[in-house]
Amino acid sequence: MSDVRMTAAGGVFSQRIREQWNEQLGRRLDILVAGCGRGTPLDLDRIEARVTGVDEDRPDLRAATAARTDLNVWSLGDLRSAALAPRSYDVVCVEFLLERIPHAELVLDRIVNGLRPGGLLLIRMRDRKSAYGFLDRKAPFRNRLWRWLAPAGAVGPLPAVYEPVSSREGIQSYCLMRGLMIAEEHTLTSGTARLGPRGGLVALLCRAVGRLSGGRLATDHDEVALVVRKPQHHFARLI
């Protein structure tokens, strides 16, 4: 595990995508971005790729998705029934999606099912076991508080579901049970409220919550980013 700055997370993913493209000797990459209403546009300069975006159908997410310049095609709707053909993508990016949807493990299974053997699964998610994640899902009057803390122009407050898979331990367990190999794991600080005009206050609250939890809730990060590979060999569980 390593610590990287928020601005480096997109760079790490873009570099791994470039390496995947080189390994395939320049064949076009098929990329799925699940959670395309959040996250950072991919840097695909001089890479031949077709990028498909999927997310929930919410007004703020629709506007943010439409503004992205890296998507060739996108659709918004119920992710449990989204049209995702099996083994159709070389790279799947899951960006700030798992913590805000119900049935997250079911949706993740469907997304991973769309990944080809040897493909990359790139995950960015808010950590349920971080102090920030605890505040995000437990703070009273959350929507009004979020609007007060968030920077101008940020996507509005989205659901804070935080099922067990949206924790560092939860996603590690998921990958182990599905035969997926975690190649890299990074912790980051990228919470919207942490980056807003009152970020110092939010950091203070996170430290207080961490102390009150007896250290069970992490204060040194709020995001986990992972580079995961789906094995080529036939002994891996077929999903």
Side-chain angles (χ1 to χ4, degrees), residues 88-101:
S88 297
Y89 301 99
D90 303 292
V91 180
V92 174
C93 301
V94 183
E95 299 194 293
F96 301 112
L97 176 71
L98 300 180
E99 68 270 21
R100 57 180 169 87
I101 58 171

Side-chain angles (χ1 to χ4, degrees), residues 17-203:
I17 292 172
R18 187 172 301 279
E19 291 168 0
Q20 185 79 354
W21 184 62
N22 289 335
E23 288 174 8
Q24 297 186 171
L25 303 177
R27 179 180 65 79
R28 187 192 78 181
L29 288 181
D30 294 306
I31 301 174
L32 174 68
V33 180
C36 58
R38 299 291 290 270
T40 307
L42 299 171
D43 178 8
L44 300 174
D45 186 36
R46 294 187 296 277
I47 294 178
E48 184 183 358
R50 178 174 173 82
V51 185
T52 301
V54 295
D55 209 330
E56 299 176 289
D57 192 1
R58 295 177 176 273
D60 285 350
L61 296 176
R62 181 172 291 275
T65 298
R68 288 185 67 145
T69 58
D70 59 331
L71 303 179
N72 297 105
V73 62
W74 52 271
S75 63
L76 303 182
D78 187 340
L79 296 175
R80 291 173 297 176
S81 57
L84 301 175
R87 303 190 176 199
S88 297
Y89 301 99
D90 303 292
V91 180
V92 174
C93 301
V94 183
E95 299 194 293
F96 301 112
L97 176 71
L98 300 180
E99 68 270 21
R100 57 180 169 87
I101 58 171
H103 314 291
E105 196 164 313
L106 171 63
V107 171
L108 189 55
D109 276 345
R110 297 196 70 247
I111 290 169
V112 173
N113 186 50
L115 187 63
R116 292 172 178 142
L120 288 181
L121 173 64
L122 308 174
I123 299 174
R124 295 183 70 182
M125 67 179 190
R126 204 69 60 209
D127 189 355
R128 185 181 194 274
K129 294 294 185 70
S130 68
Y132 185 96
F134 176 87
L135 287 170
D136 190 31
R137 70 182 193 273
K138 295 292 187 180
F141 313 110
R142 174 180 174 270
N143 287 359
R144 280 183 285 173
L145 181 63
W146 191 97
R147 290 188 180 95
W148 181 64
L149 293 171
V155 174
L158 296 169
V161 181
Y162 286 93
E163 292 184 347
V165 74
S166 63
S167 68
R168 191 168 143 209
E169 294 82 359
I171 197 65
Q172 288 171 344
S173 176
Y174 175 88
C175 291
L176 177 65
M177 294 298 293
R178 296 324 192 263
L180 303 170
M181 300 182 297
I182 299 176
E184 297 178 49
E185 180 181 317
H186 306 282
T187 55
L188 307 93
T189 298
S190 65
T192 304
R194 290 282 292 267
L195 303 176
R198 300 172 179 86
L201 173 61
V202 178

